[in-house]
Amino acid sequence: MLQAEGAEKPVKVAFDNFEHGFPEGFGPRGWGRLAYAIGIAFAAFQLYVAAFNYLPSQVVRGVHVGFLLLLTFGLIANFTARGNVGRAAGWLTGAAGFLCGLYQWIFYADLIARDGDPTRLDLAVGTLLALLIFEGARRLMGLALPLMCGAALLYWFFGQYLPAPFNHRGYDFDQVVTHLSYGTEGFYGVPIYVSATYIFLFILFGSFLERAGMIQLFTDVSLGLFGGTRGGPAKVAVFASGMMGTISGSGVANVVTVGQFTIPLMIRFGYRRAFAAGVEATASMGGQIMPPVMGAVAFIMAETLGVEYSVIVKAAVIPAVLYFASAFWMVHLEAGKHGLVGMNKSEIPSAWKALVARWYLVLPLAALVYMLFEGFTPLYAGSMGLALTVALILGASITLGLSSNALRYVFWIGLALVVGAASRNGLEIVPVAGVVGGLVLVTAVARGGRVTLRACRDSLADSAKSALTVGMACAIVGTIIGMMTQTGVGTIFGGWIIGLGAKSLFLALVMTMFLSILLGTGIPTIPTYIITAALAAPALAKLGVPLIVSHMFAFYYGIMADLSPPVALAALAAAPIARENPDKIGWEAMRIALAGYVIPFIFVFSPALMLQAGDPMEAQLGFYGAVALATFKALVAVGLFGIVAIGFLFARLTIAERVVASVAALCLLGEFPFSDTIGFAVTLAIVLWQWRQRSRSAVAAA
């Protein structure tokens, strides 16, 4: 089940900071072993929390942040310090952060008893925690997010001196520190709660699935389905990245895993380097909107809105499919425009054979989705999905040492019976953990089993390392949330949006879009969503936009920021693989993702696209009729925007034809008088005209 040893490793990508991952390994010699051991301890703590969850929530959040600080400063020192003194200093700084987290556990009851009346030690520890979180975020992600949160902190301390309506009543130092470092609306707010529970667990789940060979399965199935079609290599990239998005919510991680195979393949079959890298960047960033993982934002959104996780997933499905359908359509048109062909049959693996050989890898993902939609909590569903993945990895390792297929069948049947007996009173975590523990013991004595156990152990440590950026972002963004909840400054920005929306909802949406993209050019997607949603989503809701729709609107443009120059982080990740200028890749990615920039506007004006009530056509067609119409209109609009961006349908389009197609697409974005009629009529005219142009070209060529 483990990936073949000869498989290519992802291309290494260098960044100015560690926002998109650390180098391979954990550092030199004993320092690396220390980081590795702490990573495993971090993962073990998170697994304990997910499985049993006996600790108070505030304690879990505190220890989680403590581990984040310890491992962040330790790993950065391991990879950047020039000597042992520098590394020791880094680890001592991280240890101070860990003790700040433990402070929440050791003095848990006392902190509750003296809430609002902190001691000098409380203030000292709270201040130190703030300094370490800001410095850790700076070293990990660069200056942009700490500067933004620092500005919020300055406003918190000195905003009373500003003129109305920007001023607030003023807050003392102890009020700010207590709210920030000990409450549930600062560093230990909803984002860090989600990081300490759902996010880490799903990172671990994705890591084990990848180690089990899921990436290879996605790639083989994608090649088998689309490799031989027109422009097949690019379609493989879109489909494989979409599938990868179901288990990995990191766009850049998708680029450097799937892209190291698909980008050279696209270039080899005639796609321009910038376009090939732009396709992979666009498809990989879409992984963050592809259920069930959705870049961890789905968990934060569900907690913020107080709804079940499955509600968020259901709302995201149709827009996510539209996004990938748009990218698929773009590469199809580009291939037609330049006469690009598919791959030879001899180069294409069989999708069916790939599924037959590794169908069991789909079971954990299918079980996860089933449990989520059946109403189980994400924590429970993720724990069971992870347990099933580990059982499959260990079971496969055990069966490799068996001498015949008959014995292998007996093993799997016996394992199924044991699991069934253990869960006869319902699927509980203790019996499941017992089964996994038994498999670990058997694997330890099986032939080649210790290699598998080491791989599983590596996954634990690697997951801890992967969780640092998301966790630190969730911690520091608590500064802005805490400032807004105590000062009420969010109502000022919300009032601007409401005032603008009273004249034009479209202008309010444009303002929110620019805010999200502007924030997203400097900070990761998760804090971009959290900040924009806190500022703008409540105001959009007051303008009649369903709350889930307004939050998803903010989220989409945070993703688009990673495709938009001048920063375009996804393009930056793809650049060394394609050996092309990142700015060129960014502009190509924007063109390929053009529909992604308009899909949020479509679901605001047609909420049925996100399975939400209140669609303008619902009264006439009923709920499901409105869903069908909204989906059809969105598909046509996405198709038109693809034609405009590429300049091809059946033949190359002139400038005038692109303008007309743009007008038709804009008419289908919302519910306006006669807009649908005009949009569909013009679309039909464009298709017929292009078909006629194709016929003329064929006659001329003959």
Side-chain angles (χ1 to χ4, degrees):
M1 289 182 64
L2 298 177
Q3 291 177 350
E5 294 182 2
E8 291 186 56
K9 294 183 179 180
V11 176
K12 292 183 180 180
V13 182
F15 296 94
D16 294 334
N17 49 58
F18 298 105
E19 177 183 340
H20 298 284
F22 288 90
E24 292 182 6
F26 288 81
R29 301 179 299 280
W31 299 104
R33 288 191 289 273
L34 174 63
Y36 183 85
I38 291 174
I40 293 175
F42 188 10
F45 170 77
Q46 295 298 152
L47 287 174
Y48 170 82
V49 169
F52 303 107
N53 203 23
Y54 295 139
L55 295 174
S57 177
Q58 193 75 359
V59 170
V60 172
R61 302 180 201 199
V63 177
H64 180 76
V65 170
F67 268 119
L68 289 174
L69 291 170
L70 175 60
L71 207 50
T72 293
F73 282 102
L75 277 174
I76 290 174
N78 279 4
F79 287 116
T80 61
R82 295 183 178 180
N84 289 334
V85 174
R87 295 188 183 98
W91 279 104
L92 287 174
T93 306
F98 186 72
L99 291 175
C100 288
L102 282 183
Y103 193 82
Q104 293 282 344
W105 193 349
I106 297 169
F107 297 101
Y108 174 70
D110 296 330
L111 288 170
I112 293 177
R114 60 176 179 256
D115 184 33
D117 186 24
T119 64
R120 289 184 178 180
L121 181 60
D122 292 343
L123 294 177
V125 171
T127 303
L128 178 61
L129 177 68
L131 291 173
L132 292 175
I133 286 176
F134 270 78
E135 177 61 11
R138 183 193 69 80
R139 293 190 186 184
L140 197 62
M141 294 174 278
L143 279 171
L145 186 54
L147 284 177
M148 190 177 301
C149 294
L153 202 57
L154 287 174
Y155 175 80
W156 203 345
F157 279 117
F158 305 110
Q160 65 269 31
Y161 301 114
L162 295 176
F166 303 103
N167 61 333
H168 56 68
R169 68 176 180 85
Y171 299 91
D172 294 332
F173 180 80
D174 63 331
Q175 290 177 294
V176 173
V177 172
T178 301
H179 193 80
L180 186 61
S181 298
Y182 295 103
T184 56
E185 292 178 331
F187 293 139
Y188 299 125
V190 169
I192 207 66
Y193 165 73
V194 175
S195 174
T197 50
Y198 310 142
I199 293 177
F200 193 101
L201 184 64
F202 277 78
I203 288 174
L204 195 58
F205 176 68
S207 175
F208 271 92
L209 274 180
E210 288 181 30
R211 195 170 290 276
M214 189 62 111
I215 295 177
Q216 191 62 48
L217 175 61
F218 286 154
T219 303
D220 288 347
V221 171
S222 303
L223 283 168
L225 291 175
F226 303 110
T229 62
R230 187 172 82 181
K235 294 175 182 177
V236 169
V238 173
F239 190 81
S241 295
M243 292 296 98
M244 184 68 180
T246 61
I247 63 170
S248 169
S250 171
V252 173
N254 286 1
V255 170
V256 297
T257 51
V258 179
Q260 58 92 20
F261 167 74
T262 58
I263 292 175
L265 185 65
M266 285 186 273
I267 294 171
R268 182 159 64 90
F269 277 83
Y271 283 99
R272 291 175 291 111
R273 290 182 179 273
F275 186 87
V279 168
E280 185 55 53
T282 301
S284 293
M285 292 310 299
Q288 295 185 77
I289 59 175
M290 177 60 72
V293 177
M294 293 180 61
V297 164
F299 306 118
I300 298 175
M301 196 181 297
E303 287 294 323
T304 303
L305 298 178
V307 299
E308 289 186 0
Y309 177 79
S310 59
V311 173
I312 304 296
V313 171
K314 290 175 185 176
V317 166
I318 297 177
V321 172
L322 285 172
Y323 180 92
F324 281 98
S326 166
F328 202 88
W329 176 239
M330 292 283 192
V331 300
H332 180 78
L333 294 176
E334 179 78 4
K337 183 178 181 179
H338 296 286
L340 303 180
V341 297
M343 302 169 62
N344 296 325
K345 289 185 177 180
S346 59
E347 298 179 287
I348 302 172
S350 168
W352 176 250
K353 288 182 179 179
L355 283 172
V356 168
R358 294 189 295 275
W359 61 271
Y360 47 81
L361 293 178
V362 182
L363 289 178
L365 191 60
L368 173 69
V369 173
Y370 172 78
M371 285 187 284
L372 288 173
F373 277 85
E374 282 296 307
F376 292 96
T377 66
L379 206 59
Y380 178 86
S383 299
M384 290 302 171
L386 176 60
L388 181 55
T389 305
V390 174
L392 287 173
I393 293 175
L394 298 179
S397 176
I398 293 168
T399 56
L400 285 175
L402 299 178
S403 58
S404 68
N405 286 331
L407 289 176
R408 295 186 181 103
Y409 287 129
V410 168
F411 171 82
W412 286 116
I413 293 171
L415 180 60
L417 291 174
V418 169
V419 172
S423 59
R424 61 185 180 276
N425 296 322
L427 202 58
E428 298 179 0
I429 194 66
V430 174
V432 171
V435 172
V436 173
L439 287 172
V440 169
L441 293 177
V442 175
T443 305
V445 298
R447 187 174 61 188
R450 293 187 179 181
V451 175
T452 301
L453 290 178
R454 281 196 294 270
C456 292
R457 189 183 64 193
D458 290 346
S459 290
L460 291 174
D462 288 337
S463 296
K465 192 166 70 167
S466 300
L468 295 181
T469 299
V470 175
M472 289 298 293
C474 288
I476 194 172
V477 82
T479 308
I480 296 176
I481 295 174
M483 179 272 293
M484 290 176 59
T485 56
Q486 194 163 58
T487 65
V489 70
T491 57
I492 298 174
F493 186 85
W496 290 343
I497 292 182
I498 291 172
L500 192 62
K503 300 176 183 177
S504 170
L505 175 60
F506 180 78
L507 291 178
L509 293 172
V510 170
M511 182 177 178
T512 305
M513 176 188 74
F514 281 124
L515 170 67
S516 190
I517 291 178
L518 182 63
L519 289 174
T521 55
I523 63 178
T525 305
I526 289 176
T528 296
Y529 157 72
I530 294 170
I531 296 168
T532 308
L535 287 170
L540 292 177
K542 290 181 179 179
L543 293 171
V545 180
L547 201 53
I548 290 179
V549 175
S550 62
H551 276 251
M552 202 67 74
F553 185 91
F555 174 44
Y556 259 70
Y557 287 111
I559 293 173
M560 292 298 105
D562 276 349
L563 296 175
S564 308
V567 180
L569 293 174
L572 184 63
I577 304 174
R579 295 179 177 85
E580 181 58 276
N581 183 282
D583 287 336
K584 289 183 180 179
I585 296 172
W587 291 114
E588 287 288 350
M590 281 189 70
R591 186 165 70 99
I592 298 164
L594 179 61
Y597 288 88
V598 299
I599 286 174
F601 283 89
I602 298 175
F603 59 61
V604 166
F605 289 109
S606 300
L609 199 66
M610 295 189 70
L611 305 179
Q612 301 299 302
D615 192 277
M617 298 303 294
E618 189 174 341
Q620 302 175 39
L621 302 175
F623 178 73
Y624 291 105
V627 171
L629 178 61
T631 304
F632 178 71
K633 282 176 54 180
L635 280 171
V636 175
V638 162
L640 288 169
F641 279 115
I643 294 169
V644 172
I646 303 300
F648 182 86
L649 179 56
F650 300 123
R652 291 177 181 261
L653 274 71
T654 63
I655 298 296
E657 289 171 339
R658 287 192 182 192
V659 172
V660 172
S662 299
V663 171
L666 292 173
C667 286
L668 295 173
L669 289 187
E671 302 292 345
F672 312 107
F674 305 109
S675 64
D676 287 357
T677 304
I678 295 171
F680 285 128
V682 175
T683 300
L684 180 61
I686 291 170
V687 172
L688 292 175
W689 174 258
Q690 272 284 295
W691 184 263
R692 184 181 178 188
Q693 294 296 102
R694 177 190 184 185
S695 301
R696 286 182 175 180
S697 299
V699 170

